[in-house]
Amino acid sequence: MTSQPPPPSPSEQPPVQPGAEAVPTCYRHPGRETYVRCQRCDRPICPDCMREAAVGHQCVECVREGNQSVRQAQAPLGGAAVAKPRVTWALLILNVLAYGLEYLWPDILRRFGTSALEIYSGEWWRLITGAFLHASPLEGSFSFTHIVFNMWALYVIGPELERRLGSVRFAMLYLLSAIGGSVAVYLFGGLAMTVGASGAIYGLFGALFVVSKRLGFDARGVLWLIAINVAITFVFPGISWQGHLGGLVTGTLVAAAFAYAPAKNRTVVQFGAAAAVLVVLVLLVTQLPPLAIPGL
């Protein structure tokens, strides 16, 4: 039997040939070979796990962590930044669809228009539904003028206010202004039934003035706009001054709360103020009878 020579010591072993070392694999897909590493954590990543970075590539987890640390863009007066004024477009569509529905169901005005007596008897939804209806298409050219003016004003003013306030706050402003106009009609409108988005639109007029002042813009043009429309309200017959002025006052108050809320706890103050306005409007309807209708 011949004896075998002892194995060489580690220092005597031959060097590893180039290319013989272990090939790195993706940390998420161990079966995939890769020589690309994440620029942040230095882990190997395959093409499916690569994300473009300012320099090189990053892995999925590092990109996710980086996005969480990036502060989201905000509208000037709070809320998320608005790229497209979707709330404005949604309100336009709702008003136009409601106007088209009046052709198919003429009785909709009687059932859902703003009427003090019906609201007093418990049909509270008329406070908001009447703000999405307009003069009947069967009444001639005035009805067309009615909705065209309101929708043109919403188209012109809405996107600017939505971008300044953020979509959620803009929606709250519009709806509270609409309800404020309806509450004024309930209290001071008498037996007349009213419809139209004018209360909400006048609320936007007031808000545009407040926001312009807050952001340092020249608001004189807005004052002229408000003055002219208020004059029209009292000069031409058949226009509900109650709805217009109620919406104007409500929208101005809500916009002031949004625009001048302190930077600290801004969202809490803004939403709290909007809720307080809504509570006041609800109390006016539930605790007071229509003031312009004797005997109630």
Side-chain angles (χ1 to χ4, degrees):
M1 179 181 293
T2 58
S3 60
Q4 299 293 329
S9 64
S11 60
E12 296 175 348
Q13 290 182 357
V16 178
Q17 297 298 320
E21 64 272 10
V23 175
T25 59
C26 176
Y27 83 98
R28 297 178 73 227
H29 304 95
R32 301 181 185 178
E33 298 179 356
T34 180
Y35 289 93
V36 179
R37 291 182 176 273
C38 173
Q39 293 296 314
R40 293 186 65 182
C41 66
D42 200 40
R43 290 181 292 189
I45 49 178
C46 69
D48 287 343
C49 300
M50 296 178 190
R51 299 295 183 268
E52 290 286 345
V55 178
H57 298 81
Q58 293 183 7
C59 67
V60 176
E61 293 180 8
C62 287
V63 170
R64 186 182 300 117
E65 292 176 1
N67 290 338
Q68 291 175 350
S69 64
V70 174
R71 186 176 181 179
Q72 298 297 320
Q74 285 193 328
L77 298 176
V82 176
K84 296 180 180 180
R86 291 185 173 87
V87 172
T88 299
W89 289 113
L91 292 170
L92 279 164
I93 292 171
L94 285 173
N95 277 278
V96 172
L97 288 177
Y99 186 72
L101 187 60
E102 293 175 21
Y103 278 100
L104 304 176
W105 186 22
D107 197 45
I108 190 174
L109 295 176
R110 185 183 65 83
R111 296 287 299 274
F112 294 98
T114 303
S115 170
L117 283 178
E118 277 71 16
I119 293 172
Y120 183 68
S121 65
E123 297 182 8
W124 52 267
W125 57 84
R126 292 175 180 265
L127 291 168
I128 190 64
T129 56
F132 286 90
L133 300 171
H134 287 81
S136 172
L138 305 177
E139 294 180 3
S141 60
F142 172 75
S143 69
F144 186 70
T145 304
H146 190 203
I147 189 171
V148 166
F149 171 79
N150 284 336
M151 295 304 98
W152 173 82
L154 178 58
Y155 172 79
V156 172
I157 300 174
E160 178 67 17
L161 282 173
E162 187 171 350
R163 291 188 178 98
R164 300 294 181 184
L165 296 170
S167 295
V168 174
R169 289 159 181 78
F170 175 74
M172 295 167 65
L173 169 70
Y174 186 94
L175 294 176
L176 286 173
S177 298
I179 296 172
S182 296
V183 170
V185 170
Y186 167 80
L187 292 175
F188 309 111
L191 295 173
M193 177 177 290
T194 64
V195 291
S198 301
I201 298 302
Y202 273 67
L204 299 188
F205 289 159
L208 185 62
F209 172 76
V210 172
V211 170
S212 298
K213 292 288 290 183
R214 179 66 178 86
L215 297 178
F217 301 145
D218 188 351
R220 288 176 293 182
V222 184
L223 277 178
W224 277 107
L225 175 67
I226 295 174
I228 291 172
N229 280 278
V230 170
I232 291 174
T233 298
F234 289 98
V235 169
F236 289 92
I239 296 178
S240 172
W241 63 265
Q242 299 91 345
H244 288 190
L245 297 189
L248 177 64
V249 171
T250 304
T252 302
L253 291 175
V254 173
F258 287 167
Y260 291 94
K264 185 178 181 180
N265 298 322
R266 170 184 283 176
T267 300
V268 174
V269 173
Q270 290 174 331
F271 281 63
V277 171
L278 178 60
V279 168
V280 170
L281 294 175
V282 170
L283 289 175
L284 288 174
V285 173
T286 57
Q287 301 301 315
L288 293 176
L291 302 180
I293 302 179
L296 289 181

